[in-house]
Amino acid sequence: MPAMKDALSALWWYRLPAMAARRKGALALLLADGFYLERWPQLAAWAPLLAFAAGVAAGGTHFSRCATFTCSLVLMTGFVVIATLAGALGLWLWVGYVLGDLFLFYPQMPPGLGRFLTGRLAPAILSYLLLFMLVSLPMASQALRRRVLPRLATWLSRRLIAGAVLQGVIQTGLAFVWIHAVPTLIRPVFTWRENLPSIEAVAPLQKFGGVLIVLAALAAFGRVLLQVWSFTDIELAGRALDLQELLVAGERRAGPAVPPWLRVSMQALLSTFLLAGLLATWLDALLLWGCLAAVLALQRMIPRWRRWTAVAARVPWLARLAAAVVASYWISATVVKSLWPVTSTFRPVTVAIVLSITVFAFLFPLSATESTAVGGAKR
Amino acid sequence: MSQLRGPTVISWWLFLLLLTLLPVPARADNCGSLSDCYGTILAAVVVALALAILLFFLWEALAAGALMAEAAGAGFVEGAAEAIEVMVAEGSGSIFSAGEMGEIIGWGTSQAPAAIAQTEAVTQALTTEGVEVMIENGLTREFVEAQLAKYEYAITLEGKLINQQLLPRLELMRRLLELWPP
């Protein structure tokens, strides 16, 4: 059994991340997130398997007869807490959920390709995407903490508690955004199957979303402390740094070059798919896709206005985000108030989103985004 | 690693709690239509804002995905380098951390070619007078010996060495000890 334990540990925490590093750096780093669990060798060896099995059970049962994961606060909270404690465990949980949902919860194929695509596959993919966003919240909050606030993050990393609190605060903000977005975005799981969304699919997030936020924040706080304590084992700390070097410095095979117009189109398509819960007709979808593609194209064209780009780059990222949020709030309030009495569709929200994201595009032109990503300290 | 005092921690947590206790606009039913999904205009505005922010982060991640991931990936080693620094500093009995000692020596601090070249340049330019200045600034022989031992140990670790700073810094430590005044 010790040999088995060592082989499993090496597989989860060395071989798979190293294999992924040859192709996708992001996947490799996600697979390595939670390396500190090696402080407890048995846990490190078996936890990914257990997470996968728990994911299959969750996907196969949803812990209810409800069509989607949003019905279970326990399931969502479990996902975000586990993913926060170790991103790799969150990933295995998610993979297990996807397989369990696809093959166990919906074992029978709907008749006809059209019904399979619209009634089964597309809603399933959308719900998996939303769940993946929840699982990747911790990684996103880590990235924000380090990229957006590099100096503060570096300063705080030497002050353990403050660093842990900052992690918790950022994760709180992201979880707040997620719980407000998902009840709307999950609608197609029902509407594409020609049903109305069920109350039990929406109520847990709307009524008890605060519980998820608090637990996500506590987990983020606890993760920092737990990991830092784990690395008081110097040998483990050294191995972690060695693994990081391996993953970051590894050569990657470059993927095929994508022309900008195709990239913009695909990105707009993905965004439209994600926002499908707001759309009433195919025409709405086409219009939204066109608007988002135009905003994305605009974001790429703004760098030609060098004076504006220079001004934007001079303002700290967080200040620009705050300005974008305030402006978007004002725009959204104006649009929604004006259109609220005249429609029962979600068009007011859709229009508000398009206008808001345009504000974001202006304040975050692509060149500034790229330069920030390359040299985080500039932000 | 110094820690914040109790009242500061409590105020951070109060802020966190305040965020989670922000009044959530009343919403109702099953999201079948606009007014059904969001009971009030304010609720619809908050959701529109949340969706815009979500979309913005998605676009940011797609635009700079690998680099954002790299930033996030640093999370899995958080505390590792600091732990080693503390061990080295404690082992040497110095009041300086390894990072501060590094600043005194002036070595490169990343895996970038420029940083590695900087470490090599420091080694090549090192003189007895230069070492004396470093000693005046707080560099200790114990620290240098501990670093040398750590780098020699790291080189013997299993697997291919990826840390490009390892050999240049090893050379730098050896050179420092060679030039160390008696």
Side-chain angles (χ1 to χ4, degrees):
Chain A
M1 281 305 263
M4 174 84 152
K5 180 196 76 187
D6 292 345
L8 279 174
S9 220
L11 175 71
W12 305 125
W13 304 107
Y14 289 101
R15 286 191 195 157
L16 287 177
M19 276 166 64
R22 288 181 210 144
R23 187 81 205 185
K24 288 276 178 201
L27 179 62
L29 293 167
L30 185 57
L31 282 167
D33 191 69
F35 179 85
Y36 75 96
L37 294 177
E38 289 238 353
R39 180 75 189 246
W40 301 276
Q42 292 287 358
L43 185 67
W46 299 105
L49 265 182
L50 289 174
F52 178 76
V56 172
T61 64
H62 292 193
F63 300 142
S64 67
R65 294 189 64 79
C66 179
T68 163
F69 65 86
T70 55
C71 299
S72 170
L73 190 69
V74 172
L75 194 153
M76 290 182 286
T77 307
F79 264 76
V80 78
V81 168
I82 290 171
T84 303
L85 292 176
L89 296 188
L91 181 66
W92 291 119
L93 199 57
W94 180 79
V95 171
Y97 178 89
V98 169
L99 295 176
D101 184 72
L102 267 179
F103 298 111
L104 298 177
F105 195 77
Y106 295 106
Q108 288 170 347
M109 291 279 180
L113 183 66
R115 287 195 66 184
F116 171 73
L117 290 176
T118 58
R120 169 83 178 277
L121 195 61
I125 291 173
L126 183 66
S127 77
Y128 302 152
L129 256 179
L130 294 174
L131 189 59
F132 187 75
M133 281 185 172
L134 181 67
V135 167
S136 55
L137 269 187
M139 292 289 278
S141 56
Q142 282 178 18
L144 276 177
R145 181 176 146 210
R146 289 170 183 279
R147 281 284 169 196
V148 176
L149 304 164
R151 286 181 192 159
L152 185 61
T154 308
W155 182 77
L156 288 176
S157 72
R158 294 179 185 278
R159 286 157 180 79
L160 179 59
I161 301 292
V165 170
L166 181 64
Q167 185 70 34
V169 169
I170 294 176
Q171 190 139 311
T172 299
L174 291 179
F176 183 84
V177 167
W178 190 86
I179 68 156
H180 279 79
V182 167
T184 307
L185 300 183
I186 201 72
R187 292 178 75 252
V189 171
F190 299 91
T191 56
W192 288 349
R193 289 172 182 151
E194 292 164 10
N195 294 324
L196 277 175
S198 65
I199 292 173
E200 56 267 31
V202 179
L205 281 175
Q206 290 196 336
K207 288 184 179 166
F208 307 110
V211 174
L212 187 144
I213 292 178
V214 169
L215 289 177
L218 285 174
F221 179 80
R223 153 77 189 262
V224 174
L225 300 186
L226 198 60
Q227 179 169 317
V228 169
W229 177 81
S230 298
F231 286 142
T232 51
D233 176 346
I234 299 299
E235 191 267 337
L236 183 66
R239 277 165 50 208
L241 290 172
D242 226 32
L243 179 64
Q244 187 198 28
E245 295 288 346
L246 178 75
L247 300 185
V248 173
E251 284 182 19
R252 284 182 199 110
R253 277 182 236 145
V258 182
W261 64 266
L262 185 60
R263 201 179 174 86
V264 163
S265 304
M266 297 307 289
Q267 204 168 322
L269 192 64
L270 174 68
S271 306
T272 306
F273 179 66
L274 200 65
L275 296 177
L278 297 167
L279 306 172
T281 65
W282 281 103
L283 184 63
D284 282 354
L286 194 65
L287 282 172
L288 180 62
W289 175 81
C291 289
L292 293 177
V295 176
L296 281 162
L298 178 75
Q299 195 185 24
R300 286 169 178 269
M301 282 161 60
I302 287 174
R304 291 182 192 169
W305 307 331
R306 288 187 187 160
R307 205 174 282 176
W308 172 249
T309 311
V311 170
R314 247 181 257 138
V315 180
W317 192 93
L318 206 56
R320 276 185 283 154
L321 182 66
V325 168
V326 170
S328 299
Y329 183 84
W330 181 79
I331 290 169
S332 301
T334 309
V335 170
V336 174
K337 260 184 213 166
S338 335
L339 298 178
W340 184 271
V342 297
T343 180
S344 63
T345 67
F346 289 84
R347 283 186 194 125
V349 175
T350 315
V351 173
I353 292 168
V354 170
L355 294 175
S356 299
I357 200 72
T358 310
V359 172
F360 277 96
F362 263 103
L363 290 175
F364 296 90
L366 198 62
S367 64
T369 307
E370 284 173 342
S371 69
T372 300
V374 172
K378 287 177 188 170
R379 260 189 188 177
Chain B
M1 267 171 278
S2 63
Q3 298 187 357
L4 288 186
R5 283 175 300 156
T8 319
V9 176
I10 291 166
S11 54
W12 270 99
W13 276 106
L14 282 177
F15 172 67
L16 190 69
L17 273 177
L18 194 69
L19 276 178
T20 59
L21 295 176
L22 276 175
V24 178
R27 279 159 298 187
D29 295 326
N30 61 355
C31 255
S33 66
L34 182 66
S35 57
D36 187 43
C37 196
Y38 321 117
T40 63
I41 291 176
L42 177 62
V45 171
V46 169
V47 169
L49 192 59
L51 288 170
I53 293 172
L54 196 75
L55 210 54
F56 163 68
F57 281 128
L58 178 71
W59 289 6
E60 279 276 290
L62 291 173
L67 294 158
M68 289 289 278
E70 199 174 299
F76 87 89
V77 290
E78 181 165 30
E82 290 83 353
I84 289 172
E85 278 185 8
V86 167
M87 180 205 72
V88 170
E90 283 175 354
S92 68
S94 166
I95 57 167
F96 293 98
S97 70
E100 287 163 329
M101 289 291 194
E103 280 176 26
I104 293 170
I105 297 169
W107 63 31
T109 54
S110 75
Q111 296 298 306
I116 292 157
Q118 185 184 335
T119 305
E120 289 168 346
V122 170
T123 308
Q124 283 165 10
L126 211 55
T127 60
T128 308
E129 293 75 27
V131 175
E132 282 169 351
V133 171
M134 289 178 191
I135 293 167
E136 280 171 24
N137 288 334
L139 185 66
T140 61
R141 188 180 176 96
E142 290 81 5
F143 171 80
V144 177
E145 284 173 344
Q147 287 294 105
L148 180 62
K150 189 186 108 181
Y151 295 145
E152 282 173 341
Y153 169 71
I155 285 171
T156 62
L157 279 178
E158 59 184 311
K160 189 185 165 192
L161 277 179
I162 303 294
N163 185 348
Q164 302 297 310
Q165 282 281 7
L166 213 51
L167 288 174
R169 283 198 188 174
L170 182 86
E171 286 305 313
L172 177 56
M173 295 303 113
R174 282 183 181 151
R175 185 78 182 133
L176 275 167
L177 290 175
E178 278 171 21
L179 296 174
W180 203 271

